[in-house]
Amino acid sequence: MKDLRIPYKIYLEENEMPEAWYNVRADMKKKPAPLLNPGTLQPMRAEELGGVFCEELVQQELNDTDPYIPIPQEIRDFYRMYRPSPLVRAYCLEEKLQTPAHIYYKFEGNNTSGSHKLNSAIAQAYYAKEQGLKGVTTETGAGQWGTALSMACAYFGLDCKVFMVRVSYEQKPFRREVMRTYGASVTPSPSSTTAVGRKILEEHPGTTGSLGCAISEAVEAAVGTPGYRYVLGSVLNQVLLHQSVIGLETKAALDKYGIRPDVIIGCAGGGSNLGGLIAPFMGQKLRGEADPRIIAVEPVSCPSFTRGVYAYDFCDTGMVCPLAKMYTLGSDFIPAPNHAGGLRYHGMSPILSELYAQGLMEAVAVPQTAVFEAAEQFARVEGILPAPESAHAIKAAMDEALKCRETGEAKTIVFGLTGTGYFDLTAYEKFHDGKMDDYVPTDGELAQYRARLPQIG
Amino acid sequence: MKDLRIPYKIYLEENEMPEAWYNVRADMKKKPAPLLNPGTLQPMRAEELGGVFCEELVQQELNDTDPYIPIPQEIRDFYRMYRPSPLVRAYCLEEKLQTPAHIYYKFEGNNTSGSHKLNSAIAQAYYAKEQGLKGVTTETGAGQWGTALSMACAYFGLDCKVFMVRVSYEQKPFRREVMRTYGASVTPSPSSTTAVGRKILEEHPGTTGSLGCAISEAVEAAVGTPGYRYVLGSVLNQVLLHQSVIGLETKAALDKYGIRPDVIIGCAGGGSNLGGLIAPFMGQKLRGEADPRIIAVEPVSCPSFTRGVYAYDFCDTGMVCPLAKMYTLGSDFIPAPNHAGGLRYHGMSPILSELYAQGLMEAVAVPQTAVFEAAEQFARVEGILPAPESAHAIKAAMDEALKCRETGEAKTIVFGLTGTGYFDLTAYEKFHDGKMDDYVPTDGELAQYRARLPQIG
């Protein structure tokens, strides 16, 4: 099956790297719904968002008309330290699966943060620096985003305060230590350093925290401190914009060899990686130039797309953030304790939500033991230990490739390998020891969360 | 200082990758001393070595005449999954140091094993497979070699038994888990599964183990099991041969841009990385074609080159292995408990030892807190979290670059960045918490170990 015309890894030359991000909203006829002010229920204006986010990022958040936003030179310089990332032809996996499919993966784990999160972290840190800010605050769950942001802030000499979901803070001391290496301060959330944290601790004394709660704390810490703004690693339009560098590089690498993908697969938590990977291909779909299948993969334990509702909801537990229209399970939804890895956010990127609602993409939910089985198989043949998040995409890609074995079709499958699993070995250990289960929330449980959704429009 | 002619990362095309390893011994007028049979004190013959090592590897071990050994196609195929590794121009570090020096590093951490060790692991696994063996045994200290070998064995479907120094086994459960992911069995050493292990346990009941002891156990386990051989990740000639792929790629990348290095720097434990990195440059030196400075960097806590003696010594604690002539501290030397990371072997590659004895290379010893300071500085500007081992080279390279700032010289400095520090965050934590010290063994201590060296020739 080895096609000598196609190398194992397709690298772009530095001069082939994208000079602008691609803003898929510009090509959407029906745009994603705007963020709403939780007080007035009116669309958030730039002035309002400016209290929380950097000015330039607010412009990017609201811009749904310009298809290309130039990448500032300083950010391109930083990108060059770890980009272009390789697009790998998974020859060994194809052979292992005995499939006629051609499998490619875009590997974003080749940097110390270990994931794609750095693509947006460096952009957000840059704009904060440009605005003359002292620092930024953020939340982190599994720790990939916090690591990436710490690294980006170190580069630009910005202060970085990370609220880390308490359960991760305790279970992942090494993640914490990497952030310290980059000079960030890391606080377990909920904490007593914020009003919202104290309130949550009072109401739920033994809580191990959640992403929604850490977001509330980070926002409060930013809004209450002069010279600080809040930054977020997923969900927002601006983040998907920055992550489009993944898709643009992928498309450029495929174009170099005249390859047109049939299926594009990505894992989806808040949607940053998936939104970035598919952006230019979705653009082609929207403009009628190509029609690849696009598949979002999520855990059965946190099934926002496949079992959530498309509605306005709070982005955080403390309800201090704007409301977003998205596929959501309810802002106080927390995956079962046995859930490993990331992809634990209750909602989903408004852009992806709207594209999904329009039928332009599909979604599947997969159980975690099957995901770890796929991860292990992949590691053994392809030599990369994947993050559990990324392994969701691997699982779905392998399923598609196995279908091709049955039908004999030589489809081209492209998936996003968002990061490495070096900090997830506790989860791998559970898997090896047979201590992992595949808990699926019942309809009754989901209905309870859904019942608490804000009633809007 | 940015030279736009030179990209951040120099990648080779697949067709520019080495097709043969370079055997520096062929160009050495005075060859490294042969391994001796510990019973007869005569040079080990191929038949004797064949009981411990794979046949083809024995040939490579003994071959000091052929300058090039072709790399089998299957190994080159595997190399392509993660090679060529990038040669990175450290523009950000140069700027941070305000140095006119040009700094390059060859980054070998871009694979799941996280280090250069995979280059030899895959070769050794391949030859074991070719010989029809069932499996291999080995030892691992910090865990890089064991991880690499597990991965290589998974690829070729070989059984892999790893004896892991007990202190690492306990302090690095994640390393152990990665090896399990690749299907290896991991036993803490000393163990009761071998005679030598039982003997050591009896004599030193509370021992936390050492590399020398784990080697003895792994050799016993191989020799006592039909279909098994022992493999080693450093020190041996065959390992340096395989690792020459690092130097060959580095030289090819530099040649592409007409760059001639003034100084080449590598960390040295057993010498596998350093020997591989410098091989083709040392070849030039030996043939009188170029004369770069070559610097080995070792920890002050395990100073084989700088404070050891050049003499025949045992390679292992149990004294079951052949004797090698090398710079050594004595086969029962163990670095102080506070020593972090690898580079803890009592001896040194016989090839490098002979080159050092001939004055063809220099050596410096650096204290570990300075090494971690350098590591952290490097991480913040270059975006790669280095392994403590690799950080020794970073420290020395930064020192050279700072000298250039004083003299105004625009020297070209190349160093080897052997791997990533994802599994070394306990050490980083110690450093951040101020719990790391710079213990230097006293002359009296070293003299005690030296007094127990075998008296040969």
Side-chain angles (χ1 to χ4, degrees), chain B residues 188-260:
Chain B
S189 166
S191 77
S192 56
T193 66
T194 65
V196 65
R198 285 188 295 271
K199 183 160 173 278
I200 292 169
L201 279 174
E202 212 178 280
E203 290 168 9
H204 310 277
T207 182
T208 53
S210 74
L211 214 44
C213 162
I215 293 175
S216 302
E217 288 205 85
V219 170
E220 184 186 320
V223 174
T225 320
Y228 281 74
R229 290 294 184 284
Y230 166 72
V231 297
L232 180 67
S234 194
V235 183
L236 296 175
N237 300 336
Q238 56 187 272
V239 179
L240 270 73
L241 176 71
H242 305 148
Q243 294 295 359
S244 70
V245 70
I246 304 174
L248 292 165
E249 279 186 15
T250 302
K251 186 162 181 305
L254 292 172
D255 285 349
K256 227 172 145 164
Y257 290 88
I259 305 161
R260 290 173 72 102

Side-chain angles (χ1 to χ4, degrees), chain B residues 78-97:
Chain B
F78 188 90
Y79 277 172
R80 282 194 197 138
M81 297 202 321
Y82 68 101
R83 307 202 68 84
S85 71
L87 181 72
V88 185
R89 173 75 183 264
Y91 282 122
C92 300
L93 182 63
E94 290 171 22
E95 201 186 315
K96 174 83 181 170
L97 299 177

